Amino acid sequence: DVVLTQTPSTLSATIGQSVSISCRSSQSLLDSAGNTYLYWYLQRPGQSPQLLIYLVSNLGSGVPNRFSGSGSGTDFTLKISGVEAEDLGVYYCMQATHAIFTFGSGTKLEIK
Amino acid sequence: QVTLKESGPGILQPSQTLSLTCTFSGFSLSTYGMGVGWIRQPSGKGLEWLANIWWDDDKYYNPSLKNRLTISKDTSNNQAFLKITNVDTADTATYYCARIGTTGGYVMDAWGQGASVTVSS
């Protein structure tokens, strides 16, 4: 099974600070057709997860452009360029390259 | 507008079977490439993917739970279902269903509000 390891587990940031979250996969997420099915979600307190990034680097509908995704193979990064108060919550990466989906363990973003 | 809503028993006893229903609108599970997934989250913990069902009735399960899970759908009534047999306290969680859309690969692009399930004697 594919294991996704997120670091750090907790992140504390001030408003306006830029932060990055890492997601490392135990197997390559590149499929035979050249696609990489890696996604990022944000779960705000008391809410359902919402899509931020799809296919490594594509912004979800309505997602502010301060969010960006990058990476390939087994190493992926979510970057927030200028944290805002509404960004607090838990960030999860998820892979769907392999038919058995898996989520990372999550990164909690706290606002100082 | 895509919406999903989970429903379940709320509380059940150990060894019973948990039956969950996802009622959705704004898309059809008969559309090529479409799917519905089930995900759960124990209180204060992370997300755990459970199962997916696809437009062509293909099904995939979390290997750690596979023997206890059954996913199914009723396309005409826009519903998907998940059954978990022989529950115990470790199955206490909020259960979400999500649409797996056709744009952006296998993206879970819309989620329900979640259904809270407690297993207790």
Side-chain angles (χ1 to χ4, degrees), chain A residues 36-41 51-61 63 69 94, chain B residues 103-109:
Chain A
T36 302
Y37 298 103
L38 188 283
Y39 306 87
W40 290 96
Y41 293 87
L51 177 69
L52 292 176
I53 301 285
Y54 64 94
L55 297 176
V56 180
S57 60
N58 296 277
L59 221 53
S61 176
V63 176
M94 188 199 84
Chain B
T103 303
Y106 305 118
V107 58
M108 291 183 167
D109 59 359

Side-chain angles (χ1 to χ4, degrees), chain A residues 18-54:
Chain A
S18 292
V19 297
S20 294
I21 299 169
S22 170
C23 176
R24 287 190 169 174
S25 175
S26 60
Q27 300 178 33
S28 175
L29 300 184
L30 178 67
D31 77 355
S32 57
N35 301 306
T36 302
Y37 298 103
L38 188 283
Y39 306 87
W40 290 96
Y41 293 87
L42 165 61
Q43 186 176 31
R44 295 189 172 103
Q47 296 186 16
S48 304
Q50 62 180 89
L51 177 69
L52 292 176
I53 301 285
Y54 64 94

Side-chain angles (χ1 to χ4, degrees), chain B residues 22-76:
Chain B
C22 175
T23 302
F24 54 86
S25 64
F27 70 99
S28 173
L29 252 182
S30 61
T31 299
Y32 178 87
M34 204 68 73
V36 166
W38 285 94
I39 307 94
R40 72 179 179 181
Q41 184 174 40
S43 180
K45 297 190 177 181
L47 301 170
E48 180 181 31
W49 173 78
L50 298 175
N52 292 341
I53 189 165
W54 298 93
W55 85 101
D56 59 358
D57 210 37
D58 209 1
K59 302 163 188 174
Y60 291 92
Y61 296 100
N62 185 321
S64 66
L65 293 161
K66 183 176 182 178
N67 291 339
R68 299 173 53 214
L69 300 178
T70 303
I71 193 169
S72 60
K73 61 182 174 69
D74 179 349
T75 302
S76 59

Side-chain angles (χ1 to χ4, degrees), chain A residues 94-112:
Chain A
M94 188 199 84
Q95 71 80 25
T97 291
H98 305 271
I100 308 301
F101 289 17
T102 46
F103 286 94
S105 53
T107 296
K108 184 175 183 179
L109 176 61
E110 301 172 337
I111 307 297
K112 289 180 184 174

